[in-house]
């Protein structure tokens, strides 16, 4: 066998070993995700016509999958909405410093903090603190600090800015960033969500 043929076989062998190692790493990385607790996850839409379509259940072994169709705002008093809701134990949220999320979403994704100051037991403005993450067609992980969250532009002036008070947060809302004006369609998937202490 000539030297060049031997060299070719050796190079091919190295490529095969390298490819095999990469594939093994990818498979094992997928297996490192902790399963989501189905009891902590739900979804909601407005009563005006927006839709959420899931498979047999919202949470499976592969994580969360939901396709949303959001209608445009009905009128000045009736706004449409779509959201996936993560409701862990309050004690876990109270000591959280950052949120680590692995997701896919057709369009940029909002993480919203549902804080009691602004909900039905608060000023009823449903104002909140939020951060926008980039669209991701492949599994993408973002780790965000609360310092990056801010109030949306539509927040009423009458809604007092209490700042983020962890003890007052009762859930995280994950919402594809479809607009009030146009509505639209988007698919959201969540593979992992970790509250970093």
């Amino acid at each position: 066998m000539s030297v060049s043929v031997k060299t070719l076989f050796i190079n091919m062998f190295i490529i095969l070993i390298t490819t095999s190692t990469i594939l093994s790493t990818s498979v094992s990385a997928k297996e490192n995700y902790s399963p989501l607790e189905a009891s902590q996850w739900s979804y909601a839409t407005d009563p005006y016509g927006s839709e959420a379509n899931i498979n047999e259940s919202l949470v499976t072994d592969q994580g969360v999958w939901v396709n949303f169709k959001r209608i445009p705002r009905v009128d000045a008093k009736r706004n449409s909405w779509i959201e996936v809701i993560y409701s862990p134990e309050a004690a876990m949220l109270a000591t959280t410093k950052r949120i680590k999320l692995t997701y896919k979403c057709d369009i940029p994704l909002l993480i919203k903090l549902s804080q009691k100051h602004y909900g039905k037991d608060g000023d009823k403005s449903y104002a909140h603190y939020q951060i926008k993450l980039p669209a991701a067609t492949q599994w993408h992980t973002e780790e965000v600090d609360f310092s990056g969250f801010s109030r949306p532009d539509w927040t009423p002036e009458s809604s007092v800015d209490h700042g983020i008070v962890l003890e007052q947060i009762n859930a995280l809302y994950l919402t594809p960033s479809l607009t009030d004006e146009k509505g639209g369609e988007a698919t959201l998937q969540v593979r992992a969500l970790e509250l970093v202490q």
Side-chain angles (χ1 to χ4, degrees):
M1 189 180 289
S2 71
V3 174
S4 61
V5 173
K6 282 183 181 177
T7 304
L8 177 63
F9 276 115
I10 290 169
N11 287 340
M12 287 178 64
F13 180 74
I14 290 170
I15 290 168
L16 284 171
I17 293 295
T18 305
T19 304
S20 174
T21 304
I22 290 169
L23 289 173
S24 297
T25 303
S26 298
V27 170
S28 62
K30 286 181 182 178
E31 293 172 357
N32 286 335
Y33 294 123
S34 299
L36 301 178
E37 290 187 37
S39 62
Q40 297 178 334
W41 293 85
S42 59
Y43 63 93
T45 62
D46 59 73
Y48 311 122
S50 295
E51 298 176 14
N53 297 299
I54 62 172
N55 291 321
E56 291 183 10
S57 62
L58 177 65
V59 180
T60 68
D61 291 343
Q62 300 303 309
V64 166
W65 185 95
V66 60
N67 172 262
F68 286 114
K69 294 177 182 174
R70 181 179 177 183
I71 64 166
R73 175 188 284 274
V74 179
D75 55 40
K77 293 185 177 180
R78 292 181 295 168
N79 184 43
S80 65
W81 72 84
I82 43 103
E83 53 209 12
V84 168
I85 305 164
Y86 174 59
S87 305
E89 295 176 13
M92 289 177 63
L93 281 166
T95 57
T96 296
K97 293 185 174 64
R98 296 183 305 282
I99 298 167
K100 186 175 181 180
L101 178 69
T102 301
Y103 70 97
K104 292 182 187 178
C105 191
D106 303 332
I107 62 174
L109 176 67
L110 299 174
I111 302 179
K112 303 178 181 181
L113 306 178
S114 176
Q115 190 162 311
K116 293 177 184 175
H117 290 117
Y118 309 115
K120 63 182 179 181
D121 297 324
D123 67 10
K124 298 179 177 58
S125 69
Y126 295 95
H128 52 264
Y129 299 88
Q130 68 181 33
I131 192 166
K132 184 182 282 190
L133 306 184
T137 57
Q138 302 297 321
W139 288 118
H140 178 72
T141 301
E142 287 272 344
E143 189 165 333
V144 293
D145 190 275
F146 287 127
S147 61
F149 285 68
S150 59
R151 304 184 94 195
D153 294 340
W154 57 258
T155 303
E157 289 184 16
S158 59
S159 181
V160 176
D161 188 348
H162 294 278
I164 296 172
V165 182
L166 294 178
E167 294 78 12
Q168 293 291 315
I169 296 171
N170 53 20
L172 304 180
Y173 287 53
L174 307 178
T175 306
S177 58
L178 300 168
T179 65
D180 291 352
E181 181 186 359
K182 295 182 179 178
E185 182 174 355
T187 298
L188 168 62
Q189 297 177 72
V190 177
R191 190 68 189 85
L193 193 158
E194 180 184 353
L195 302 176
V196 182
Q197 307 299 307

